[in-house]
Amino acid sequence: MQLIFLLAYYLHFAIPGDSLNPKRQKFFGKRSENSMIRLNGNVTCPDCLWTPTKLRRAPPVFQGPTNDRQRAVVRAFQHAWNGYRKYARGNDELLPVSRRFENPFKLGLTIVDSLDTAIIMGLETETREGIEWIRDELNVSPSKSVNLFETTIRVLGGLLSGYHLTGEEALLEKATKLGDNLLNAFTKSKSPIPKSDVNLDNGDAFSPNRDLSSLAEATTLQLEFRDLSILTGDSKYEEFSFNASKHIHRRKCDEYDGLCPFHIDANGEFRKTQITLGARADSYYEYLIKQWLQTKKSIDWLRDDFLRTMNAVKKHLCRKSQPKGYWFIGEITEFSQFYPKMDHLVCFLSGSLVLSHLNGLDVDGEHLEMAKNIGEVCHKMYDNPTGLGPEIVHFNMEETVNVSREDTYVKSLDSHSLLRPEAIEAWFYLYRATKDEKYQKWGWDAFEAIEKYAKVETGGYSSIDNVLRKKIRRRDKMESFFPAETLKYLYLLLADDQFILPLDRWVFNTEAHPLPIYN
């Protein structure tokens, strides 16, 4: 039986059952009910979200798949989950070709990361399996050093979103303990910028890359840590993480009008690097607008910094390819030269611009137009023999009379596909804003390519070594974000209606975990 019948029971009867947890009624109660959050009196973060407020938990509605395409995506998730369950259960990630596993975090990464996807898809069995494993077996204090950023967006975010969607107290308990462990990355740093890695057992914190942290690592923690503060009533999580955001804000990055280098040293000072919206920088810009939304648009400088950086993107990084004129987002080298290269990761920007458009920041429609252009060039990335998106594409900018010349090309070192979600994320947001069905078609085409080239019959999906060759070679790795994020965005993109996780009620973090916007 699909989870919709279980949820419908809670939504329509006065006394909820206890199939998962008898305390879940505080979430699945009547829409008019509110629960008061108890706040600490010791507040040292004047810009934090710390005023007595009520958290309104409007119950999500998950009716399960409503069309054949959604059902196909659900089957793909189950195929990924079954392969993981069979060969890697309790470990971090499946190696589907060799039918083994990797365990770099020792946190059951795929289970935690994928839990809310199972819930949203209405999968009761997988949801129950995930919650029971987290409750009974997940140890959030392993003797293991982990990356603060990856652990926050995948594990802490997964636990928190699972809690919001089910009311399972065990998820919040694990999230709180994990948050305490991760805080050592902040407290062991001599600047507001946290160390990039932390041992979850003994609290040792360090930055293995010459004592440097990245812009994304320091500023893609705030949604989760703020949410944890609100749920627990303890301001320390938001305070420490938001201090990092405020530190970057004070640095201003004036050379490129708010676009920042991506390396920060132990003293909290920027080191000169290329300017990019790709790896090591991307989600800093994403979290500016999402923090503003999460805090009910109450912190003006988050909005202002986002708008400033979007103007800078248009001025410094937006260019047109030749001969067909695709708008793309390039980079600036350390020698201040424009470089026509775009990571697949940069497709995230389309969604951020759509959020700006939907929330009153796009006065003249320019942001939506930019979002459409990015969505289109991200679709162009998939125009190759396998129909899968490579990690990086390069663009031709030389004017030519040779109309047969391609606007884009892929270098051999960049031709692999990790089955990343960012392009599908872009099309999801664009479809929600425009209702243009071409975005659903693009998503479906990408899904069919995944099924054809990445599916491993014995269970799971594998990343691909080279998208330019139909005779594919698998890399023997199913990243946790594939079942957790790529398939979630596909499922939501292919929905028949607009009522699954409405964008005015939830904000997605970088791993697509939904967290509520607080009223």
Side-chain angles (χ1 to χ4, degrees), residues 23 94 124 131 149 159 161 177 206 213 290 309 319 323 377 388 401 406 444 481 493:
K23 295 183 179 179
L94 170 67
E124 181 180 356
I131 289 177
F149 160 71
L159 291 170
S161 63
K177 177 58 177 174
F206 55 96
S213 294
K290 289 184 176 180
T309 57
R319 296 290 188 276
V377 80
L388 297 171
V401 295
E406 289 292 329
W444 179 250
F481 57 65
L493 168 63

Side-chain angles (χ1 to χ4, degrees), residues 87-142:
Y87 302 114
R89 182 184 181 276
N91 297 284
D92 286 328
E93 292 179 315
L94 170 67
L95 305 180
V97 177
S98 60
R99 287 172 277 184
R100 296 181 294 114
F101 56 82
E102 285 186 339
N103 208 17
F105 292 76
K106 293 186 177 180
L107 291 169
L109 189 61
T110 296
I111 294 176
V112 182
D113 211 2
S114 302
L115 177 62
D116 56 10
T117 303
I119 297 168
I120 290 167
M121 289 181 175
L123 295 172
E124 181 180 356
T125 298
E126 290 80 358
T127 296
R128 187 181 306 281
E129 288 177 352
I131 289 177
E132 289 177 351
W133 184 87
I134 292 169
R135 183 187 62 217
D136 300 335
E137 300 185 51
L138 174 61
N139 173 22
V140 296
S141 304

